[in-house]
Amino acid sequence: MTTSPPLALLFDLDGTLVHSLPDLTLALNRLLAEEGRRPVSEPEVARMVGDGARVLVERAFIATGAAAGEPDLDMLTGRFVSIYETAATGGTQPYPGVVSTLVKLAERGHPMAVCTNKPYRPTMVLLEALDLLRFFPVVIGGGSTAERKPHPQPVLAALAGLGASASRALMVGDGLNDVLAARGAGVPCVCVSYGYPHGAVEEFGALAVIDRFTDLPAIIAKNF
């Protein structure tokens, strides 16, 4: 009798594991102030995040005046990332139940990875500061692969890093990008309802939608 390997779990970061809007907004507003732009609010930033730093900066400049040109956008993105790296942990915290649930999942033998569009360096800063890195031997950030979610390449890279197959894996995220990236890699996706989804999360086609991170083990037990 053969036993299936433990289910590999891939997690989005912002809006799934951590509430990072305060620090993202702070860093973005510092950049905007340097450029003579008005500040943006957390609800505005919530509608901008999810596609990586460059798109976040691009959306912020469109929202506050003229769009940034391509050469300027590269420079502004680099400046934003530098600012954010120094402020990434001031107000960011794991969502309720995240740490206790990750402990439970780790004890059950699930190999786990982070798969995010956030740039890799601030992702590592954040995971280390919040003592979450201990759960994730594999971290795929924006720039770790040539493509970002919703392309499946980051999901496939995370699976390769864990030595896991798509047939024994689950993605957990908060947005359509997560669902599409997982689907493209042949992996089902569970969405949380409390993140930054850019739309009605119930309409994304996820395997399930959970209101609390602590609901995840029950979903795993039910479906796998």
Side-chain angles (χ1 to χ4, degrees):
M1 178 178 174
T2 59
T3 302
S4 298
L7 191 71
L9 303 175
L10 316 180
F11 296 94
D12 178 47
L13 185 58
D14 299 281
T16 300
L17 295 177
V18 301
H19 176 52
S20 53
L21 274 185
D23 293 326
L24 286 168
T25 304
L26 176 65
L28 200 52
N29 281 333
R30 287 180 180 172
L31 175 67
L32 291 169
E34 289 179 359
E35 298 298 316
R37 301 292 185 102
R38 71 164 178 86
V40 288
S41 66
E42 287 189 19
E44 284 180 290
V45 176
R47 295 190 292 271
M48 299 174 185
V49 299
D51 294 291
R54 195 173 193 275
V55 175
L56 173 60
V57 171
E58 181 180 32
R59 288 170 176 165
F61 273 74
I62 291 172
T64 57
E70 288 295 318
D72 289 338
L73 188 55
D74 290 338
M75 178 273 294
L76 292 167
T77 301
R79 179 63 184 141
F80 167 75
V81 171
S82 295
I83 295 170
Y84 181 61
E85 283 181 13
T86 67
T89 60
T92 296
Q93 291 295 327
Y95 283 106
V98 163
V99 174
S100 62
T101 302
L102 291 176
V103 168
K104 181 182 297 185
L105 294 170
E107 289 174 346
R108 294 180 180 178
H110 293 284
M112 296 186 285
V114 166
C115 185
T116 177
N117 282 342
K118 183 193 287 291
Y120 180 79
R121 287 189 307 173
T123 293
M124 294 299 289
V125 168
L126 188 56
L127 291 172
E128 289 179 5
L130 297 179
D131 195 27
L132 296 177
L133 191 58
R134 58 191 165 118
F135 299 110
F136 304 112
V138 173
V139 177
I140 304 297
S144 295
T145 57
E147 302 287 348
R148 291 174 169 79
K149 297 179 295 183
H151 196 282
Q153 191 176 78
V155 174
L156 294 171
L159 291 174
L162 291 175
S165 68
S167 63
R168 290 293 297 165
L170 176 68
M171 179 78 195
V172 182
D174 70 323
L176 183 58
N177 279 351
D178 300 307
V179 176
L180 294 177
R183 184 180 299 157
V187 175
C189 184
V190 167
C191 278
V192 301
S193 63
Y194 52 74
Y196 320 136
H198 297 196
V201 68
E202 298 80 8
E203 299 176 2
F204 293 164
L207 174 68
V209 176
I210 57 176
D211 297 324
R212 298 170 299 274
F213 197 83
T214 51
D215 294 335
L216 183 59
I219 291 293
I220 293 171
K222 178 182 177 181
N223 291 278
F224 301 94

